[in-house]
Amino acid sequence: MAIDYVKRPGGPASARGGNDGRGPAVSLEKLSTQAPGLVNLYKSARVSLEKAGLEGQRAAVYLVLDRSGSMRPYYKNGTVQHLAEQTLGLSANLDDDGTVPVVFFSTEVDGIAELGLDDYHGRIDALHEKLGHMGRTNYHLAMQAVIDHYAASGADDPGLVIFQTDGGPTSRAAAEHVLCTAARLPLFWQFVGFGDTGSKQFDFLRKLDDLPVPGKRMVDNAGFFPAGPDPRALSDDALYQHLMSEFPSWLTAARRAGVLGPA
């Protein structure tokens, strides 16, 4: 397993504080200085958070990226890099650490890195090229890597995991088991599908989205939406609306179940 992870000083903001109710975690002034190319994404994300009633919410944002062989075109044409930048724009509203942990996976966890406001231009492509062979699709190993990272961070705030894939996992039972077990943790898994929206490859993700509560898991801790065969054609506003479609209801349910503390 290739690892390209360098911990930044201070750790994640979610380990240092909670929802302070004071608007975005990173100020527009700071973002404009550090990452002016992300300003429009940051503003679009803020609008979606406000519409969802999450202004001032704090969360640690993770990005999980599929490196199975069929993903090659999406790396080559910049689609994966674009999603990473969209994720960073969202994270700047939620986490003042200014970084997003990124987990690359295929047959195994191919690598773990960080995406920061001061180092994001072309970073996904550069990391991807260093990771070598693109294998099969094993969700559960990538999910466990996120769980381990979150636990080690000492975070107090919830985690929002943007989990991108273009197909179902090789081991479906393992993926379902990890998701159901993780329902007792303060992590929400937002799956994003790249590819034909009607593809049977996404049937398993639809199943995960609809797993019964409490029959299979204590809270509904996952959502899924297909971004289509050309995800870059989806507007930033639309993407953020999808990302916020189930996260707010999970926050409420998780607090009611004692998975999260009071707001």
Side-chain angles (χ1 to χ4, degrees), residues 201-263:
Q201 286 287 338
F202 296 138
D203 286 352
F204 179 72
L205 286 171
R206 294 185 178 95
K207 176 188 176 183
L208 288 186
D209 193 7
D210 295 331
L211 286 173
V213 176
K216 287 277 191 176
R217 49 188 174 161
M218 64 185 301
V219 294
D220 182 350
N221 62 334
F224 166 67
F225 77 89
D230 182 11
R232 293 195 66 169
L234 190 69
S235 72
D236 299 326
D237 289 342
L239 175 85
Y240 291 132
Q241 287 172 20
H242 282 298
L243 293 179
M244 290 299 110
S245 62
E246 296 188 51
F247 183 54
S249 59
W250 171 77
L251 288 170
T252 299
R255 290 182 181 118
R256 188 180 301 122
V259 174
L260 285 176

Side-chain angles (χ1 to χ4, degrees), residues 93-181:
N93 283 274
L94 295 170
D95 190 341
D96 64 10
D97 186 52
T99 63
V100 173
V102 182
V103 176
F104 295 89
F105 78 100
S106 58
T107 306
E108 299 182 356
V109 173
D110 295 340
I112 302 174
E114 282 192 344
L115 192 69
L117 297 177
D118 57 351
D119 184 20
Y120 69 89
H121 289 289
R123 181 155 168 77
I124 295 300
D125 296 333
L127 291 168
H128 165 64
E129 288 300 321
K130 290 196 294 185
L131 295 177
H133 178 71
M134 300 174 75
R136 299 190 300 276
T137 312
N138 278 324
Y139 292 3
H140 64 289
L141 299 175
M143 295 172 74
Q144 190 61 54
V146 171
I147 292 167
D148 292 346
H149 185 286
Y150 180 82
S153 76
D156 295 320
D157 289 330
L160 171 60
V161 186
I162 299 172
F163 194 112
Q164 179 277 320
T165 183
D166 72 339
T170 304
S171 179
R172 300 189 176 201
E176 181 175 328
H177 174 73
V178 173
L179 182 72
C180 292
T181 302

Side-chain angles (χ1 to χ4, degrees), residues 48-55 57 248:
S48 292
L49 286 164
E50 291 173 348
K51 287 181 177 178
L54 297 182
E55 184 176 6
Q57 176 67 43

Side-chain angles (χ1 to χ4, degrees), residues 16-63:
R16 302 194 301 272
N19 183 346
D20 55 21
R22 295 180 295 186
V26 176
S27 71
L28 177 59
E29 291 75 18
K30 180 178 179 180
L31 189 85
S32 298
T33 300
Q34 280 194 271
L38 296 178
V39 167
N40 288 338
L41 292 172
Y42 168 90
K43 289 180 177 179
S44 293
R46 180 175 182 176
V47 170
S48 292
L49 286 164
E50 291 173 348
K51 287 181 177 178
L54 297 182
E55 184 176 6
Q57 176 67 43
R58 295 292 177 261
V61 179
Y62 287 82
L63 179 62

